[in-house]
Amino acid sequence: MNLILQALPIAAPTAGWAVHACFLGRRLRSARTDRLTGLMRREEFTARAPRALRHPHAAVLLLDLNGFKQINDTHGHDVGDQVIAAVGRRLAQWCRERGGFAARLGGDEFTALVRLAPEADADAEMTYLSARLSAPLDTGRVTLAPRASIGLCHTGHRPGAGLSDLLRGADEAMYAAKRCGDHWRPAGAADAHRTARVRRPGRPGQHLTLLTPVWRKAS
């Protein structure tokens, strides 16, 4: 009993610090993670990307959903949140299978960094990703097929480019896909996809309603 009493003054502060460290760890993880999707946030993606970009097969993707505002306006933000969460889960799984990771940049816009070998069929990969993202989602009120426009920028096409340049290439390719009604576009060499656009509001392709109901439950 005496030994226990003697140990208490030492054990109590130690336990307190352990609880505090655990609490801080949870807060740090929360700050780095998007609450809705479980994906990392922009800051965490930016911090992790430089090391991942050293891989010779690294590729950066940027994507956003077509007609997402219409879903929020028609079915409410709770349904919109379900769509965002589902897209995040599907994108994360696809990335893990290709040695990469994804982030939600905000709203309905996502980015990812994966490994795609030069001999890989990029069109087959992006078509497969597009199909996975657009798999029917039953929200409880309506079943939706979330469609995305995707831009892909491979480091092999822009040797020595940093993250910002690769994201810019993917961004320009994504908007080229959106304007043309394609599900994806590759970024070419630097300066190949210069666009004169204002991203928000009234971005090109915003009138498209490709996020369409597949089946509506009876009310």
Side-chain angles (χ1 to χ4, degrees), residues 24 30 176:
L24 290 178
S30 176

Side-chain angles (χ1 to χ4, degrees), residues 6-7 17 45 55 68 91 113 127 144 149 151 169 178 200 206:
Q6 291 173 8
W17 277 112
F45 181 85
H55 195 281
F68 181 70
L91 178 62
L113 199 160
T127 299
L144 303 169
S149 294
K178 193 177 290 289
R200 288 174 174 78
Q206 195 168 16

